[in-house]
Amino acid sequence: MSQVEKVFSKEGALAKAIDGFQPRVPQVKLALAFEKSIQEKALLIAEAGTGTGKTFAYLIPALLSDKKVIISTGTKNLQEQLFHRDLPLVKKALKSRSKTALLKGRANYLCLHRHKQHKAHPMLEDKKLLKDLKNIDKWLISTESGDIGEVTTITEDSKAIPLVTSTIDNCLGKECPDYNDCYLVKARKKAADADLVVINHHLYFADMAVKDTGFGEIVPDSQVVVFDEAHQIPDIACEYFGDRISTRILVELGKDMELAYRTDLKDAQQLGKAANKLITNARQFRLTFPELPEKGNWREKGQTEQCQRELDALVKSIDFAYEVLKEQVGRSKSADNCFERIFEAKQKIAKLTTWQQADVSLWYETTPRHASLNLTPLSIADKFSNLRQEKKQAWLMTSATLSVDGGFNHFTDLLGLEDFNSIQLDSPFDYKKQSLLCIPRYFPEPNDRAVLNALVDLSLKIVDAAQGSCFLLFTSYRMMNLVADRLKNKIANPLFIQGEVPKRELLKQYLAADKPVLLATGAFWEGVDVRGDALKCVVIDKLPFAAPDDPLMQARIENCRRKGEDPFSKIQIPQAVITLKQGAGRLIRDVTDHGVLIICDPRLVSRPYGETFIQSLPDMQRSRSLDKACEFLKQR
């Protein structure tokens, strides 16, 4: 019996450390397969059904290996859960003295230098901003990590956050007067010294794609890498192998230029003018897009007459700022930093307005205040396969949702992976006894005007039957907010709506409430672990196909057609299947859980492709009757 097998045995370390621990065959299989991959420096792709216990299955071989390990998760929420809950438990069971560290991207840490700057020049006319800055001041007294996510008294989109955090653009690196006390520096140093580091995919690929000149490497080198929630990798990697510029970045740059003028370079009046011009034209450029947030085809939009006019003005203001800052180089660290950023902005805007580029998607995205221009490669298979070959490491890519129609081809083709081992492990849960899948009969088609009223009526009935403890998951913010507005006046249950407070706090409030109902979009479809009576029903509004007007999806579809392939079956269905499996996976999280999954989309039974979706879901009881679903809930 190997050391790993001993740990998982009935008399092993886990059984001694965890009350009621029972060995699970799939969990041990995954642990042994990963142990072998570590020894052979191989790539293992593993789909492990919900309840397999994959976290322990990779943590134990990783800690026993005596090698430097990086564990990359899909979300910050999962990252924190892994580091604060699972890892300490496993270390205690193994009596491990391994040093561990949690590392996030720089935007998660308070920047002492920028905090001091903006504290000295508060924007008193904005009372909400001033209040948020004061809340950050209170938190700063007690924080050890400097992780801005600890501040639960401000919203996720608070205007204060970009003022007191840094970006790769505005960070002064070793030139910063607060470098020795920097929370980010401390976090990276701790990670460099640790045996096991927990990061997230965004940070991993930021490290791959960008050399962070202020600090050198972001993620320390390692011998073993685990990618949990690996199904997210293709899209995240594409994002980091592309290019992006936003009006927010330009406005922040303008404000930093203005700050440099007011503090270090008071004699450089042209700097103040250039800053104002850049801020004004960046904001004016945002007005060329519709008021409501949207995504679109930048290749088409950028060549319209109105957009060309505002784009020309923006480019001229960037060029003007570049010339002015060039004259100030060497006079101020802040001005030197601004010069580097304006130089990069010039290069990016040129790249993002080269309309004839092939094999890339040029797209824009807007928020209420800003617009971003993006270039995303349609395929990263070549780059990613090269990355895998360069890294002589053991890799584990695992998730509950990697396969489509029983195979991994969709996933491996996207990443250009050829030399790998694979394993598929079913969930140990008894879904037939524990759960019911309901596809309501006579429900309107997703594009029918009657669907909003139908969703509200269904929600009222289900919330009543389950006595709260429901997740209502949506494919769009629009539908989420429409349903939320109707429910507020119709039910007494406490409603928790995504975006009102940070995700971690929202979930905490949900768990503390009596008979709660949560309404959410993509962020809550995965990486959320709610067990027992706290979650009895998950309602999904429709099949999660990517929006047909999503520019990146459009470009991929066109590219697929050029190759003579069917984009619907090759791209759209597999992506939607994986997303649906994630949403459905919120329901049953333990052997004692019971619940109902309701998918309000008749296409599951009226379209031939519906069977592909149903076959991908756990083997639950099935019904078309909403009354039967309500009865199932009332019996529990």
Side-chain angles (χ1 to χ4, degrees):
M1 186 182 288
S2 72
Q3 194 176 3
V4 167
E5 285 176 295
K6 285 178 183 176
V7 171
F8 284 100
S9 68
K10 288 183 179 179
E11 295 80 30
L14 287 176
K16 290 173 183 174
I18 303 169
D19 290 339
F21 174 81
Q22 290 293 325
R24 305 176 202 173
V25 173
Q27 186 179 48
V28 178
K29 280 185 177 178
L30 178 55
L32 291 173
F34 183 39
E35 180 185 41
K36 186 180 177 185
S37 293
I38 293 174
Q39 291 165 355
E40 297 175 355
K41 295 185 180 178
L43 164 60
L44 175 66
I45 296 174
E47 181 173 82
T50 306
T52 302
K54 60 182 167 64
T55 307
F56 282 15
Y58 63 67
L59 279 179
I60 285 159
L63 286 168
L64 291 175
S65 70
D66 289 329
K67 297 182 185 298
K68 177 87 173 188
V69 180
I70 297 292
I71 296 178
S72 180
T73 68
T75 61
K76 284 186 285 187
N77 190 54
L78 184 60
Q79 188 183 1
E80 288 174 352
Q81 177 183 300
L82 178 65
F83 186 78
H84 294 296
R85 189 185 76 181
D86 301 327
L87 190 52
L89 192 57
V90 172
K91 281 183 69 180
K92 183 180 177 183
L94 296 178
K95 297 178 180 173
S96 171
R97 294 185 178 180
S98 297
K99 291 188 287 185
T100 58
L102 178 70
L103 182 62
K104 297 182 181 180
R106 69 164 70 247
N108 293 280
Y109 298 97
L110 181 114
C111 171
L112 292 166
H113 180 60
R114 287 177 62 77
H115 174 255
K116 287 174 186 174
Q117 282 184 311
H118 290 287
K119 192 175 180 181
H121 301 280
M123 300 179 184
L124 294 172
E125 73 275 7
D126 191 330
K127 292 181 180 178
K128 177 70 171 66
L129 175 58
L130 189 58
K131 183 181 177 184
D132 285 355
L133 285 170
K134 285 181 179 177
N135 283 331
I136 290 170
D137 286 345
K138 291 176 187 174
W139 158 79
L140 183 55
I141 297 167
S142 60
T143 184
E144 292 183 9
S145 69
D147 184 347
I148 204 81
E150 295 173 354
V151 190
T152 57
T153 50
I154 63 175
T155 59
E156 283 182 316
D157 62 349
S158 168
K159 291 181 186 178
I161 293 175
L163 296 182
V164 298
T165 56
S166 71
T167 66
I168 190 171
D169 297 318
N170 59 32
C171 174
L172 298 177
K174 290 180 180 178
E175 301 298 316
C176 178
D178 293 293
Y179 181 82
N180 291 331
D181 297 316
C182 177
Y183 290 113
L184 179 62
V185 172
K186 289 176 181 177
R188 288 183 176 174
K189 187 177 187 307
K190 191 175 179 183
D193 295 339
D195 303 302
L196 186 149
V197 186
V198 181
I199 63 169
N200 59 61
H201 300 338
H202 285 279
L203 186 60
Y204 184 88
F205 289 104
D207 184 49
M208 293 297 101
V210 181
K211 179 168 174 57
D212 197 342
T213 53
F215 293 96
E217 68 176 15
I218 306 173
V219 178
D221 281 336
S222 66
Q223 296 152 295
V224 180
V225 181
V226 177
F227 295 100
D228 201 346
E229 302 296 319
H231 63 278
Q232 297 182 7
I233 289 175
D235 283 345
I236 293 174
C238 274
E239 180 185 334
Y240 281 97
F241 285 123
D243 265 308
R244 179 178 181 273
I245 194 167
S246 70
T247 56
R248 177 176 175 171
I249 286 171
L250 294 174
V251 167
E252 286 177 4
L253 173 54
K255 287 178 178 178
D256 287 345
M257 289 166 59
E258 197 173 0
L259 199 59
Y261 167 57
R262 290 204 311 260
T263 53
D264 300 338
L265 302 167
K266 293 178 181 176
D267 59 333
Q269 291 185 354
Q270 287 289 84
L271 185 57
K273 290 179 183 177
N276 289 334
K277 193 175 177 65
L278 183 62
I279 293 169
T280 301
N281 285 333
R283 288 175 173 161
Q284 190 67 30
F285 180 72
R286 167 63 183 91
L287 298 178
T288 61
F289 301 90
E291 183 179 349
L292 292 174
E294 69 171 19
K295 279 186 180 181
N297 187 321
W298 170 237
R299 206 185 296 261
E300 292 177 1
K301 176 79 173 178
Q303 296 183 79
T304 61
E305 187 177 339
Q306 182 195 11
C307 201
Q308 277 286 329
R309 187 167 57 249
E310 297 300 336
L311 182 62
D312 287 345
L314 181 61
V315 169
K316 284 177 183 175
S317 67
I318 291 172
D319 289 342
F320 178 47
Y322 172 80
E323 294 299 330
V324 169
L325 281 164
K326 190 164 69 171
E327 294 296 319
Q328 306 303 325
V329 170
R331 292 190 63 202
S332 151
K333 289 175 184 176
S334 297
D336 289 354
N337 175 263
C338 289
F339 177 71
E340 289 174 14
R341 290 156 64 190
I342 201 72
F343 177 71
E344 188 176 351
K346 266 173 69 71
Q347 290 182 312
K348 284 188 175 181
I349 205 89
K351 197 171 182 180
L352 285 155
T353 53
T354 304
W355 312 118
Q356 294 77 28
Q357 295 176 80
D359 299 321
V360 298
S361 172
L362 294 175
W363 55 284
Y364 67 84
E365 184 173 20
T366 62
T367 65
R369 293 197 293 269
H370 293 290
S372 68
L373 308 179
N374 305 270
L375 181 155
T376 304
L378 297 183
S379 172
I380 56 157
D382 289 344
K383 287 183 179 179
F384 199 86
S385 61
N386 289 338
L387 172 64
R388 168 67 196 143
Q389 288 166 13
E390 288 168 12
K391 299 283 184 180
K392 304 300 181 186
Q393 301 164 310
W395 275 18
L396 169 64
M397 294 183 157
T398 186
S399 170
T401 54
L402 284 178
S403 69
V404 177
D405 277 343
F408 295 114
N409 290 354
H410 173 69
F411 178 74
T412 56
D413 288 352
L414 287 171
L415 297 178
L417 299 173
E418 294 177 355
D419 185 17
F420 61 88
N421 301 316
S422 65
I423 186 171
Q424 269 182 286
L425 302 160
D426 293 331
S427 169
F429 298 151
D430 188 345
Y431 283 100
K432 277 282 190 187
K433 286 185 179 178
Q434 293 179 249
S435 59
L436 176 114
L437 167 64
C438 178
I439 304 163
R441 189 178 280 112
Y442 310 126
F443 207 85
E445 291 278 333
N447 57 356
D448 192 315
R449 288 185 179 180
V451 79
L452 173 59
N453 288 334
L455 278 170
V456 172
D457 292 343
L458 180 144
S459 299
L460 290 170
K461 199 169 182 179
I462 285 297
V463 168
D464 179 62
Q467 293 294 292
S469 301
C470 296
F471 273 16
L472 309 182
L473 300 180
F474 299 86
T475 54
S476 71
Y477 278 100
R478 178 181 171 275
M479 186 58 76
M480 178 189 78
N481 289 324
L482 287 171
V483 172
D485 287 342
R486 299 278 187 96
L487 290 182
K488 282 175 184 175
N489 302 318
K490 294 178 183 286
I491 62 173
N493 304 64
L495 288 182
F496 298 93
I497 302 161
Q498 184 182 336
E500 290 183 340
V501 294
K503 179 179 175 180
R504 183 170 49 176
E505 180 65 17
L506 191 68
L507 198 58
K508 184 179 174 184
Q509 290 177 9
Y510 172 91
L511 291 169
D514 183 37
K515 301 177 182 178
V517 178
L518 183 138
L519 292 87
T521 61
F524 279 83
W525 282 61
E526 56 185 285
V528 175
D529 189 11
V530 178
R531 303 183 182 208
D533 290 340
L535 181 58
K536 299 176 189 172
C537 183
V538 172
V539 178
I540 292 175
D541 70 335
K542 64 178 180 178
L543 293 177
F545 286 109
D549 58 350
D550 181 271
L552 184 54
M553 178 57 72
Q554 280 182 343
R556 284 176 175 162
I557 288 170
E558 289 167 13
N559 198 47
C560 194
R561 284 186 183 133
R562 281 196 294 270
K563 294 177 181 177
E565 297 170 334
D566 175 22
F568 189 64
S569 61
K570 186 156 180 77
I571 299 174
Q572 291 165 283
I573 287 178
Q575 185 178 16
V577 164
I578 287 171
T579 306
L580 183 68
K581 286 167 74 174
Q582 281 291 329
R586 296 316 96 215
L587 183 64
I588 303 298
R589 308 297 298 177
D590 207 332
V591 290
T592 58
D593 285 0
H594 290 85
V596 170
L597 171 65
I598 302 174
I599 306 175
C600 307
D601 195 328
R603 292 176 296 180
L604 278 167
V605 290
S606 65
R607 302 287 198 280
Y609 58 76
E611 190 61 24
T612 302
F613 285 91
I614 291 173
Q615 290 300 323
S616 74
L617 295 172
D619 188 21
M620 304 173 169
Q621 296 179 46
R622 295 182 194 173
S623 177
R624 301 291 313 278
S625 167
L626 193 60
D627 288 337
K628 186 174 179 180
C630 290
E631 191 61 34
F632 186 97
L633 288 166
K634 287 174 182 176
Q635 290 171 359
R636 264 68 188 177

